[in-house]
Amino acid sequence: RVGLAESGGESVQAGGSTKLTCTASGYMFTNNCVGWFRQVSGKEREEIATFDTGSGGTAYDDSVKGRFTISQAGTKTVYLQMNTLKPEDTATYYCSSWVPGKEGGSCFTLDRTLELWGQGTLVTVSS
């Protein structure tokens, strides 16, 4: 069965760190795109980190730039290292993988297809 699964969500103190893992089953992170998203109840899901598994290129939302790092280990695992956590980082975190909508397209546009999503993992940051 093809799917993604997030793990590593926990409760941490502000200023602390944690690392989330996205594990693929029946699928490989190869020549495609991977992103980490987060959602707070009642708000829209936001994309916070994007990774092009072909080029190694990354992009981050301003809210996490300099604190979070997306990385890949092998073809089945993508991480999100989260440092200097703030209470406003509290959310359910999701990983997703897709390919650009057009051949030769970019991972860093909204033109996406063949999207896979995990079920999410909760990170709670207390002050």
Side-chain angles (χ1 to χ4, degrees):
R1 186 170 178 270
V2 176
L4 304 179
E6 304 91 343
S7 60
E10 62 176 331
S11 295
V12 296
Q13 292 282 329
S17 298
T18 195
K19 189 173 186 178
L20 304 183
T21 302
C22 178
T23 304
S25 58
Y27 184 81
M28 292 192 295
F29 298 122
T30 304
N31 294 321
N32 48 28
C33 314
V34 186
W36 282 97
F37 299 70
R38 66 185 180 188
Q39 187 170 24
V40 176
S41 179
K43 295 189 176 181
E44 289 191 3
R45 189 175 299 185
E46 59 175 347
E47 185 170 356
I48 57 169
T50 309
F51 182 74
D52 182 329
T53 66
S55 69
T58 58
Y60 297 92
D61 185 81
D62 286 346
S63 64
V64 305
K65 198 172 293 182
R67 300 188 298 123
F68 291 10
T69 303
I70 186 170
S71 63
Q72 181 179 9
T75 60
K76 296 285 191 179
T77 306
V78 169
Y79 299 113
L80 183 69
Q81 177 66 46
M82 307 166 66
N83 298 329
T84 319
L85 284 161
K86 305 175 182 179
E88 51 264 43
D89 293 320
T90 295
T92 299
Y93 285 75
Y94 300 86
C95 67
S96 177
S97 186
W98 64 91
V99 295
K102 299 180 183 61
E103 187 172 347
S106 170
C107 288
F108 306 107
T109 73
L110 296 181
D111 185 12
R112 302 173 178 183
T113 188
L114 300 177
E115 294 182 66
L116 287 178
W117 287 90
Q119 295 299 307
T121 187
L122 178 63
V123 174
T124 303
V125 183
S126 56
S127 57

